[in-house]
Amino acid sequence: MTAFTESVVEDAALEWFGELGYRVIHGPEIAPGEPAAERATYEQVILEGRLREALAALNPDVPQEGLDEAFRKLTRISSPQLVDANHEFHHYLVNGLAVEYLRDDGTIGYDPVRIVDVDEPDNNDWLVVNQLSVRESRRTRRPDVVVYVNGMPLAVIELKNAVSENTTVWSAYRQLQNYKRELTGLFTFNELLVISDGLEARIGTISAQKERFAPWRTIEGEELAPDSMSQLEVLIRGVFEPRRLLDLLRYFIVFESDGDTVIKKLAGYHQFHAVGRALDATLDASRPDGTRRVGVVWHTQGSGKSITMAFYAGRVVLHPAMENPTLVVITDRNDLDEQLFGTFSRCRELVRQEPEKAKDRAHLRELLAVAAGGVVFTTIQKFFPETRGDTFPRLSDRRNIVVIADEAHRSQYDFIDGFARHLRDALPNASFIGFTGTPIELTDKNTRAVFGDYISVYDIQRAVQDGATVPIYYESRLAKLELKSDQAPALDAEFEEATEGEELEGKEKLKSKWSALEALVGTERRLSLVAQDLVAHFERRLEAMAGKAMVVCMSRRICVDLYDAIVALRPDWHDDDDAKGAIKVVMTGSASDPEGWQGHIRSKRRREVLAKRFKDPADPLELVIVRDMWLTGFDAPCMHTMYVDKPMRGHGLMQAIARVNRVFRDKPGGLVVDYLGLADQLKRALHTYTESGGHGETAIDQKEAVAVMLEKYEVCCGLFHGFDWSAWTTGTPSQRLSLLPAAQEHVLAQDGGKDRLLQVVTELSKAFALAVPHDEAIRIRDDVAFFQAVRTAIGKSTVGDRKASGDLDHAIRQIVANAVASDEVIDIFAAAGLKNPDISILSDQFLAEVRGMQHKNLALELLRKLLNDEVKSRSRHNLVQSRSFAELLEKSIRRYRNRAIEAAQVIEELIELAKEMREAGRRGEELDLSSDELAFYDALEVNDSAVEVLGDDTLKTIARELVETVRRNVTIDWTVKESVRAKLRVIVKRILRKHGYPPDKQEAATNTVIQQAELLSDFWTEGG
């Protein structure tokens, strides 16, 4: 029977690459004749011969001097920050290299040298290398698959075994992170990273965090690939088909900087295919006989709509058929204009020009009165004439003007006296495309008349499945505020008339109704109740999950009054300084506003400071109160809760609640807490959403999270069946602490108990974080704390729990209310009734204590961890010794796992191993060798029969001479320079020959000595 191994996954991947037209070779074929351990990077990572051939073929008019200069510039890219070097390479890849050379006629040439042919895929060299050995910074690494185009390593793919319980797709992710640190020469040229365990497959960039590695679920279009295809096959066929790969690299990668860090972003499959369809529709609509209606792209909020617009703009600008078009980007609010303009400014490399923002109507007309080119931002209002009823002047008759509208709905798009009419008057031959995060209502005929129908839909269900967003949960708190029975109907009655921004827009017909509702909602007694409930609710949320929250109020007065009510309850949350404090109001205003409001009215620059603080998960600003600012286009991924106390409906409601659906570390979902009775409006929004073809729910009732939590809770209780943990809630701290060893023993004694506990407590914790502070969550809080404490203790006393480690590191905190503090849980030795040992000694007294422990399974896990830590410690100094002990340790643990021996027997084996380790530390004294000399002595394979004939004296002499000679010849960067390494190899072999070391053993000994030298070089070069 053929075993399913990692190589099976690799072979399948290579087969798919071969079918796409790549030449597929294995590492040994690149540098034949050399042992695998000695294969260096072929021609310094880049396949030099292939790159030089490609440069010559793609640039026949550039003389050799220019090609050599291009090659030098390309291969000498460097920067202290890998992402900066990678950015420089990407610029060359997309735009070519500017070189200066002397033409035959004596003039100077400045032509850009192309390094890929982006128009004709067949003109490029396509190569996939399996198991390529890359040596850099004293280490040799072998990435599973490297994809080369014209000799440049543009993609690295790390694969794991699909049927191994110990590896997942995230094991591959962690391995790539290590490779990035160790092989900067390889990753300078990297465009794409792919990880897969044969089942799951995800794609990302060198700067992408774990949550930003996304699946690629289509091959040739927007239609999802069938479930019968493996994710890895879909990704390889969907991304690496040469034509699509070149488009992806050229048009769909962007480097964004927030001033502090640079992030490399890659389009998702939904963005890539949506832009392709939108481009085709644009070319069709802008033809002389075209309809000028491109269509609408509906991509749910949080799925990257703004950057999709930038990708689209870049494609339109560069397409030759558009003949240097002008793009007009329109929003309906100044804050949206600012946010979208910021996105395009950071993506200016995509659009090949600096976008400009219209200051006023006159400036808008000036910007649009150009013959070609330009990316212009404006608000809808600037397209209205000075006097109502007037005609907006014609600005251009050109057909290569594309109007891009953000949030393409609403009644403003009418042909009587609205946006559509005035824009048509100004730009009669322009084409129109709309982007929206919410569906267009079927009754909204005007929007369809202006933009056309959907050309791409990416709905909530698909976004959540892809991990592009997290689900939104909904909780109603209306009943708990004890409103009078006659008040709630009044709220509902006025609710229908109130829409998102009346106070801002000041619609006369609604002013009186809005004022009456505002007075009812903003009573002092009600706001006091809301403040008390909100503070208690939010503090309980923070117990379960670190993060931030937003409160949405219906007027600026209510914002200020609610702030005062909250600060009265929590004075330490307040601070007059914008750079300090846990709570702020974000609103605009003027000097004519009441005196009590002035402290909350901030300039644009001061609001930007608050925005930066709120987006920073480490900043203490955790709660903001807003009226209408930050409800659209504002991304703060660490925000997980929104408290809504404002009437909203339709797309305005959906846009607002989507503030909490951003992906952030391990955030399981966002929660919307309703203080005003929005359930009916959410149902209506869902009706519009599904009516338009969307799938999934706009918001999920929190009761579903509670149901999942209770299900996982029952599983946890089952794991502790028969175990009494009542002292956890009733006992003293020492009694609670003493429960942990017995609880661990109870779990470890069950077949597979440890893995089951680690998994189910993780799942329970995530569901609990979403359910808090529901009454059911509060009821089981102490039990959850107990389960988490046991999970933490087991995790800290065991080694290699890769599947569980990190699941709760960021978003999910350990529940500590009425539980054991985390720093107490960490001391697992104290919990087990043992003194914290000096691990390097492993004394007889300590080993005797372990042997006598009541809980044998826990004793085994503790001893295993100690010995593994000791092996790791030795591996930094003595390579051969650590390998030997690691093998013995693994052998004992494997026998135990296979149930070949009982816990008590394996403990005896491990105690004997501990004694051997201790004795090994004394061998140097017995042999009269220093620790460095002993390490080289062991590297000489002294237990080999062919070597033993030399005798101890000769072997010790060789070891001493090796230490002296090697130490004298190493420098700080010796492991990087192959010439120095080669010289060192010659010296080592010469010493071995001089003392009669067996010739057939010299090669292996030399390799081990060099590896041992690498381990010790840091100590030596630092003078350690």
Side-chain angles (χ1 to χ4, degrees):
M1 184 169 128
T2 303
F4 196 104
T5 63
E6 192 172 304
S7 64
V8 175
V9 182
E10 290 181 18
D11 290 343
L14 298 176
E15 181 181 328
W16 295 322
F17 273 110
E19 291 172 2
L20 289 174
Y22 290 75
R23 180 180 174 225
V24 179
I25 61 175
H26 295 269
E29 295 181 42
I30 290 183
E34 293 188 56
E38 289 304 306
R39 281 204 313 274
T41 306
Y42 180 67
E43 302 294 347
Q44 305 302 309
V45 176
I46 284 186
L47 304 185
E48 180 174 339
R50 291 176 179 272
L51 177 56
R52 288 189 180 277
E53 288 177 6
L55 291 176
L58 296 177
N59 303 276
D61 297 330
V62 177
Q64 191 61 46
E65 176 190 353
L67 298 178
D68 290 343
E69 175 62 19
F71 183 84
R72 281 193 295 272
K73 288 181 72 171
L74 196 58
T75 54
R76 292 180 182 176
I77 299 171
S78 65
S79 172
Q81 298 297 324
L82 174 59
V83 71
D84 292 332
N86 186 253
H87 190 181
E88 182 181 348
F89 168 73
H90 181 77
H91 177 80
Y92 294 153
L93 184 73
V94 172
N95 302 296
L97 293 105
V99 297
E100 181 178 314
Y101 58 89
L102 188 66
R103 294 194 184 99
D104 293 339
D105 60 4
T107 60
I108 302 295
Y110 299 97
D111 297 331
V113 173
R114 294 190 300 166
I115 58 178
V116 292
D117 190 330
V118 293
D119 299 314
E120 295 294 336
D122 290 344
N123 290 343
N124 300 292
D125 177 54
W126 302 90
L127 174 68
V128 167
V129 181
N130 174 225
Q131 294 293 323
L132 171 71
S133 289
V134 180
R135 184 157 59 233
E136 189 175 337
S137 302
R138 310 192 312 273
R139 292 182 175 88
T140 298
R141 296 290 182 254
R142 298 176 68 184
D144 290 326
V145 177
V146 179
V147 180
Y148 283 92
V149 179
N150 294 343
M152 296 172 292
L154 301 189
V156 176
I157 303 175
E158 192 61 30
L159 304 170
K160 294 299 176 187
N161 188 349
V163 297
S164 170
E165 293 182 0
N166 296 320
T167 58
T168 68
V169 68
W170 303 118
S171 305
Y173 168 81
R174 286 190 290 273
Q175 193 155 331
L176 283 181
Q177 305 315 301
N178 292 331
Y179 285 172
K180 281 193 320 188
R181 289 189 293 270
E182 298 167 353
L183 308 175
T184 54
L186 174 65
F187 287 92
T188 295
F189 305 93
N190 182 265
E191 293 292 309
L192 309 172
L193 295 178
V194 174
I195 54 177
S196 178
D197 61 356
L199 301 174
E200 268 192 276
R202 292 174 177 263
I203 189 169
T205 71
I206 60 166
S207 69
Q209 297 298 313
K210 176 181 173 182
E211 63 268 22
R212 292 300 176 189
F213 270 73
W216 194 279
R217 300 177 64 200
T218 67
I219 296 180
E220 295 185 348
E222 287 200 324
E223 184 178 347
L224 297 185
D227 292 338
S228 58
M229 290 183 70
S230 81
Q231 289 188 21
L232 181 58
E233 180 179 1
V234 174
L235 191 154
I236 289 174
R237 294 189 186 279
V239 171
F240 290 96
E241 188 278 322
R243 172 71 276 159
R244 276 192 293 276
L245 180 61
L246 292 175
D247 284 346
L248 191 65
L249 301 183
R250 185 183 187 189
Y251 301 113
F252 293 94
I253 288 177
V254 65
F255 291 78
E256 281 196 284
S257 172
D258 61 3
D260 298 324
T261 57
V262 176
I263 301 173
K264 182 179 184 179
K265 293 185 176 180
L266 168 73
Y269 73 89
H270 63 289
Q271 296 169 310
F272 178 84
H273 289 293
V275 169
R277 294 184 66 172
L279 176 66
D280 291 342
T282 303
L283 298 176
D284 190 57
S286 60
R287 293 197 324 257
D289 59 344
T291 64
R292 291 173 289 164
R293 293 183 300 155
V294 178
V296 176
V297 175
W298 167 21
H299 283 192
T300 194
Q301 300 102 323
S303 63
K305 175 170 64 71
S306 296
I307 201 169
T308 302
M309 296 170 72
F311 287 136
Y312 166 76
R315 291 239 57 186
V316 172
V317 163
L318 288 179
H319 200 284
M322 293 304 296
E323 299 175 333
N324 194 14
T326 298
L327 306 184
V328 183
V329 185
I330 294 184
T331 62
D332 69 340
R333 292 201 352 220
N334 285 325
D335 56 337
L336 285 179
D337 190 43
E338 290 282 351
Q339 291 154 7
L340 196 55
F341 180 76
T343 298
F344 270 66
S345 296
R346 294 190 296 272
C347 298
R348 56 186 172 274
E349 287 181 319
L350 290 174
V351 294
R352 272 55 175 190
Q353 56 201 297
E354 287 283 350
E356 296 189 80
K357 187 159 57 173
K359 301 183 185 71
D360 49 38
R361 288 179 177 87
H363 188 219
L364 173 64
R365 296 174 188 183
E366 179 185 329
L367 291 173
L368 293 180
V370 295
V375 179
V376 178
F377 278 74
T378 181
T379 56
I380 288 174
Q381 290 76 11
K382 293 185 179 67
F383 271 101
F384 283 85
E386 300 285 351
T387 305
R388 187 177 180 87
D390 281 359
T391 300
F392 200 87
R394 178 171 296 198
L395 301 180
S396 176
D397 287 320
R398 287 193 291 122
R399 286 190 169 275
N400 65 339
I401 295 176
V402 179
V403 176
I404 306 172
D406 186 26
E407 291 310 328
H409 330 216
R410 310 179 195 176
S411 58
Q412 289 130 329
Y413 301 114
D414 68 80
F415 285 94
I416 299 173
D417 192 29
F419 159 75
R421 172 193 162 182
H422 301 300
L423 196 49
R424 287 279 193 245
D425 290 341
L427 307 168
N429 295 315
S431 296
F432 293 74
I433 183 172
F435 285 80
T436 181
T438 56
I440 301 169
E441 296 183 30
L442 289 181
T443 56
D444 189 354
K445 301 281 195 298
N446 291 331
T447 298
R448 282 181 167 75
V450 174
F451 300 103
D453 289 319
Y454 293 127
I455 52 178
S456 176
V457 173
Y458 186 68
D459 58 29
I460 290 174
Q461 180 172 301
R462 195 184 287 192
V464 171
Q465 288 174 346
D466 291 347
T469 64
V470 298
I472 301 171
Y473 291 82
Y474 168 81
E475 176 189 4
S476 174
R477 305 287 292 177
L478 182 66
K480 299 198 175 185
L481 293 178
E482 300 174 0
L483 286 173
K484 294 178 182 177
S485 58
D486 61 337
Q487 288 180 328
L491 291 178
D492 290 338
E494 301 299 335
F495 190 74
E496 284 302 302
E497 299 293 340
T499 57
E500 182 192 6
E502 272 68 24
E503 187 183 8
L504 178 66
E505 296 175 13
K507 294 182 178 178
E508 295 295 328
K509 64 180 182 179
L510 291 175
K511 270 191 176 178
S512 60
K513 291 181 178 180
W514 185 265
S515 298
L517 180 59
E518 195 266 355
L520 177 61
V521 170
T523 60
E524 182 178 350
R525 177 178 174 278
R526 182 180 179 279
L527 289 183
S528 176
L529 285 171
V530 170
Q532 291 174 39
D533 188 79
L534 190 152
V535 167
H537 188 282
F538 186 51
E539 288 181 334
R540 285 176 175 173
R541 291 282 292 159
L542 291 180
E543 285 180 2
M545 180 163 51
K548 308 202 174 189
M550 178 183 287
V551 187
V552 185
C553 301
M554 67 178 294
S555 71
R556 292 184 299 152
R557 177 188 73 84
I558 293 177
C559 286
V560 174
D561 289 351
L562 182 60
Y563 178 91
D564 292 340
I566 292 174
V567 167
L569 297 171
R570 296 292 183 269
D572 56 319
W573 290 9
H574 166 81
D575 201 293
D576 290 329
D577 189 342
D578 282 356
K580 301 176 183 177
I583 183 172
K584 300 290 180 184
V585 176
V586 181
M587 69 183 201
T588 56
S590 65
S592 61
D593 286 320
E595 184 178 350
W597 298 13
Q598 294 301 319
H600 303 294
I601 295 171
R602 294 176 175 85
S603 64
K604 175 185 172 184
R605 185 188 62 78
R606 290 178 63 195
R607 293 196 303 272
E608 288 174 349
V609 170
L610 290 186
K612 190 169 185 178
R613 286 191 62 199
F614 193 64
K615 292 178 181 183
D616 180 1
D619 193 284
L621 177 59
E622 293 181 326
L623 190 64
V624 293
I625 304 175
V626 305
R627 180 193 66 183
D628 49 29
M629 304 201 78
W630 294 7
L631 293 184
T632 53
F634 178 79
D635 286 344
C638 56
M639 182 169 72
H640 58 52
T641 308
M642 173 177 279
Y643 299 96
V644 181
D645 197 34
K646 172 184 177 178
M648 288 187 286
R649 62 184 175 127
H651 70 272
L653 173 60
M654 291 177 68
Q655 285 180 332
I657 67 176
R659 298 311 101 199
V660 295
N661 78 345
R662 275 34 178 188
V663 173
F664 180 71
R665 295 175 181 169
D666 295 306
K667 183 170 90 177
L671 180 65
V672 173
V673 180
D674 170 21
Y675 282 120
L676 209 56
L678 300 175
D680 193 48
Q681 291 304 314
L682 274 172
K683 289 178 183 175
R684 295 187 182 202
L686 177 59
H687 178 70
T688 299
Y689 179 84
T690 54
E691 197 175 48
S692 301
H695 295 86
E697 294 184 63
T698 53
I700 304 167
D701 195 314
Q702 191 192 31
K703 291 175 183 175
E704 293 190 26
V706 172
V708 173
M709 176 192 72
L710 293 177
E711 176 192 339
K712 302 303 179 184
Y713 172 70
E714 290 301 324
V715 177
C716 283
C717 289
L719 283 170
F720 287 94
H721 178 71
F723 182 83
D724 180 12
W725 72 87
S726 58
W728 186 255
T729 53
T730 60
T732 64
S734 61
Q735 288 174 327
R736 297 204 301 272
L737 194 60
S738 65
L739 270 177
L740 294 179
Q744 293 174 78
E745 178 68 17
H746 182 85
V747 171
L748 293 169
Q750 301 175 46
D751 190 17
K754 182 177 73 174
D755 289 341
R756 287 161 58 208
L757 179 88
L758 294 173
Q759 179 178 349
V760 74
V761 174
T762 297
E763 294 168 347
L764 171 63
S765 300
K766 289 187 175 184
F768 180 87
L770 292 168
V772 169
H774 192 280
D775 290 343
E776 285 295 306
I778 300 305
R779 179 178 68 81
I780 67 170
R781 176 177 58 184
D782 292 334
D783 289 341
V784 174
F786 169 70
F787 298 146
Q788 289 186 330
V790 178
R791 178 199 184 281
T792 301
I794 285 182
K796 290 183 177 296
S797 64
T798 58
V799 178
D801 298 314
R802 286 171 291 185
K803 287 186 288 185
S805 65
D807 285 346
L808 305 181
D809 281 354
H810 301 294
I812 313 297
R813 289 182 178 175
Q814 179 178 333
I815 312 302
V816 295
N818 302 317
V820 175
S822 59
D823 57 346
E824 291 179 285
V825 175
I826 287 171
D827 191 353
I828 188 64
F829 300 106
L834 300 170
K835 295 178 181 177
N836 202 341
D838 181 345
I839 296 175
S840 65
I841 297 175
L842 292 170
S843 66
D844 287 329
Q845 179 185 351
F846 175 73
L847 293 175
E849 288 179 9
V850 172
R851 181 186 278 125
M853 276 182 64
Q854 175 186 355
H855 307 299
K856 294 301 180 188
N857 289 290
L858 179 57
L860 171 58
E861 294 291 347
L862 281 170
L863 198 51
R864 177 185 167 215
K865 172 177 168 50
L866 291 173
L867 295 180
N868 194 76
D869 289 347
E870 179 71 2
V871 169
K872 285 183 178 178
S873 175
R874 289 171 185 267
S875 71
R876 298 189 189 102
H877 203 82
N878 192 313
L879 181 72
V880 175
Q881 197 180 86
S882 66
R883 282 176 180 170
S884 173
F885 286 132
E887 289 170 2
L888 291 172
L889 176 61
E890 183 59 35
K891 181 179 177 182
S892 293
I893 297 303
R894 193 183 303 118
R895 291 176 64 208
Y896 171 67
R897 283 180 175 163
N898 293 337
R899 295 292 185 259
I901 53 177
E902 297 300 321
Q905 290 176 270
V906 79
I907 285 174
E908 293 301 322
E909 285 192 12
L910 296 186
I911 286 176
E912 290 305 312
L913 179 58
K915 291 179 177 178
E916 286 183 37
M917 286 187 184
R918 192 175 63 206
E919 293 304 316
R922 298 172 182 162
R923 282 177 60 237
E925 298 175 17
E926 296 170 2
L927 292 168
D928 192 25
L929 294 173
S930 68
S931 59
D932 290 351
E933 291 166 346
L934 179 64
F936 281 103
Y937 178 86
D938 289 336
L940 295 174
E941 300 186 42
V942 292
N943 293 322
D944 185 278
S945 58
V947 177
E948 281 181 339
V949 297
L950 292 177
D952 266 349
D953 290 341
T954 302
L955 290 170
K956 287 192 286 187
T957 300
I958 296 174
R960 292 190 181 103
E961 194 169 336
L962 282 172
V963 170
E964 180 184 354
T965 307
V966 173
R967 189 165 190 164
R968 194 170 57 241
N969 281 276
V970 299
T971 60
I972 291 175
D973 61 348
W974 76 277
T975 54
V976 179
K977 295 180 179 177
E978 289 301 319
S979 59
V980 179
R981 291 175 62 87
K983 175 185 173 185
L984 203 53
R985 291 180 64 81
V986 171
I987 293 173
V988 170
K989 287 182 176 180
R990 187 180 300 145
I991 292 172
L992 295 178
R993 280 198 302 270
K994 182 175 75 173
H995 292 284
Y997 197 89
D1000 59 326
K1001 302 289 183 182
Q1002 287 182 15
E1003 186 67 29
T1006 302
N1007 292 338
T1008 310
V1009 166
I1010 296 295
Q1011 291 176 48
Q1012 183 64 63
E1014 288 183 9
L1015 287 177
L1016 293 171
S1017 63
D1018 286 340
F1019 295 104
W1020 293 345
T1021 53
E1022 292 170 11

